[in-house]
Amino acid sequence: MAVDSVLSSSSPLGPPAHEKDAKALQFIEDMTRNADAVQERVLGEILSRNAETEYLRRFKLHGATDRDTFKSRIPIVTYEDLQPEIQRIANGDRSPILSAHPVSEFLTSSGTSAGERKLMPTIHEELDRRQKLYSLLMPVMNLYVPGLDKGKGLYFLFVKAESETPGGLLARPVLTSYYKSEHFKTRPYDAFNVYTSPNEAILCADSFQSMYTQMLCGLIMREEVLRVGAVFASGLLRAIRFLQLNWKILANDISTGILNPKVTDPSVRECATKILTPNPELAEFITKECSEENWEGIITRIWPNTKYLDVIVTGAMAQYIPTLDYYSRGLPMACTMYASSECYFGLNLRPMCKPSEVSYTIMPNMAYFEFMPQDPTAPPPSRDSPPRLVDLADLEVGKEYELVITTYAGLCRYRVGDILLVTGFHNAAPQFSFVRRKNVLLSIDSDKTDEAELQKGVDNASLLLKEFNTSVTEYTSYADTTTIPGHYVIFWELLVKDPSNSPTDEVLNKCCLAMEESMNSVYRQGRVADNSIGPLEIRVVRNGTFEELMDYAISRGASINQYKAPRCVSFSPILELLDARVVSKHLSPAAPQWTPERRR
Ligand code: AMP
């Protein structure tokens, strides 16, 4: 669809709910009205400032900053293509390899390469861009939800482990970098954006102490809380689980006014102690609510003035919507932004819409964006016949594209791996629903496990079965989010050649751990440090189950010649079929190895 024909269907934002929001909303309008011109300017800025980098010189751009030359000379790349350059930067080469501005640190993506987090080089000024995008969120929210200046937000925010590259650059997740920056720590007071969590609690590296203190403050200020959130839905559910496990000691602190000695960090103790005063009445209330068997609506019972949940429930997080509905008695879930370690992309201009209707508007000032059309019938692109990428302003409604970015920090025509569907336009800027991340089979939290990793896990675990003359003949997997935290379930069909020597329960438990040891570092960190993923489970199904699965698929129209057992299932009838044939269940007996240091 041509841009002109959809312009009339997009209504402008505003009028601003508050005078102070006018500038931000005007900025959104300016950027989205002039999306194409802004994109041209952004590309020009990136290419001129990076003209002398090794990377752009290699492709003989000779200082050109126009789109045509750029598109004809610069290849479309993946992380693996850039790894030699990234490794040199990590090893301490300070020459302008990708970016003319010095690389200030690496952001560790939850996307992995060879089992380790991808390292995304960033530059200091990117913090300004991230902050700018954050600054647009509340002015948009204020258009839909009045009175957010009359209370606080209970947000569960965390920093994670950092490491150092051989060349001495920090490597850490983008949110850790942001929360530790002056941009966040010394943010000016804004009545619309007051958190119950003190900075000290957010910045505490010990996840128990951090969560404990954030929950304690949230409970103490329960009546002031107007919104409850975390970055992803899985994080908010983890907080609910934490409350289930710890409400007694939290209530005790509130009753006595004495902070639990488990909180040892001096700065956290100091600020929590200031907030904590004996309040037996509140402690009694918490005890009454939390000791009930039924936790339905616990969020609205404890925080009765909550107007919405602020959590991402799009993409892999959609699996948590029913559970959040249950705990919040159907409060709206606002998905406010779409971002990554490589670049922050954009925001949802209608944040109170239903999760199934969420569309993100990419802000054209953040980077230069291109889009690879997803055409399943087209031959796969190669170096000799690169795909034709489409510009932001030229996308068609109803079509799917893979996002490709060129950033100020020096990524050029970099494939993010996200598949987006164009749902409409706001002014001249397209809006997208998040369709999926390419090649991701299983995800519980920020982990992303692909088919090759799962296969490697099964291969490694099967080695333990050798001495029992047993092999795994078929397998599939499932992300079980009915437990908190969720966990991976792997269905195995076994060929036991000598039934008198079949693998013991203990060995099958060890197989679970062997699979976990094979998983990428994001998975293992989730298991070990963040407690955001539960122990992996193997469910052995009786012989012939996978043949039944095939019969079922064929009865629903699958081609018998092309049938392959799916490596991941989520369709309820198939899960029911599998579960009805389970002969034994096994859980990982221990946590896998994980340290913040990279394995390579
Ligand atoms: P990371 O590189 O670890 O920061 O992860 C970024 C990735 O998380 C993105 O490329 C998306 O795949 C996913 N993501 C981020 N924001 C959203 C969102 N609002 N909805 C769905 N997926 C998201």
Side-chain angles (χ1 to χ4, degrees), residues 58-129:
R58 185 185 309 161
F59 297 107
K60 307 206 167 14
L61 218 53
H62 299 309
T65 60
D66 63 289
R67 291 190 221 203
D68 289 345
T69 315
F70 173 73
K71 284 174 189 267
S72 65
R73 307 235 171 116
I74 306 293
I76 299 157
V77 294
T78 62
Y79 182 79
E80 282 67 30
D81 297 319
L82 293 181
Q83 216 166 19
E85 284 77 16
I86 288 176
Q87 202 54 53
R88 277 171 55 208
I89 302 170
N91 289 345
D93 189 334
R94 295 279 183 271
S95 64
I97 299 175
L98 297 174
S99 159
H101 285 217
V103 171
S104 53
E105 60 183 309
F106 281 105
L107 303 177
T108 53
S109 163
S110 60
T112 54
S113 172
E116 292 294 331
R117 287 172 178 271
K118 292 175 184 167
L119 289 175
M120 295 299 166
T122 190
I123 55 177
H124 192 262
E125 66 165 47
E126 278 295 301
L127 277 166
D128 299 334
R129 251 172 235 110

Side-chain angles (χ1 to χ4, degrees), residues 343-404:
C343 174
Y344 277 25
F345 305 123
L347 74 170
N348 179 359
L349 298 180
R350 292 193 308 120
M352 297 302 277
C353 71
K354 284 196 229 148
S356 58
E357 287 166 9
V358 171
S359 282
Y360 299 102
T361 304
I362 288 187
M363 290 303 285
N365 61 304
M366 300 303 289
Y368 177 62
F369 299 101
E370 294 174 279
F371 297 84
M372 192 183 290
Q374 297 299 291
D375 178 0
T377 58
S382 66
R383 278 211 177 255
D384 302 330
S385 66
R388 194 183 60 82
L389 301 195
V390 184
D391 277 334
L392 187 71
D394 300 329
L395 300 178
E396 289 182 63
V397 173
K399 291 209 167 153
E400 287 184 6
Y401 300 89
E402 181 184 339
L403 183 59
V404 177

Side-chain angles (χ1 to χ4, degrees), residues 108-111 117 174 232 312-316 335 337-342 345 360 416 418 434 437 446 448:
T108 53
S109 163
S110 60
R117 287 172 178 271
V174 63
F232 289 112
I312 291 175
V313 286
T314 43
C335 299
M337 69 188 279
Y338 168 43
S340 75
S341 316
E342 294 90 326
F345 305 123
Y360 299 102
V416 174
D418 288 349
F434 183 92
R437 172 107 181 171
S446 51
K448 299 170 175 64

Side-chain angles (χ1 to χ4, degrees), residues 122-140:
T122 190
I123 55 177
H124 192 262
E125 66 165 47
E126 278 295 301
L127 277 166
D128 299 334
R129 251 172 235 110
R130 284 176 212 130
Q131 188 181 41
K132 177 86 193 173
L133 194 65
Y134 282 125
S135 76
L136 306 177
L137 303 182
M138 284 317 286
V140 172

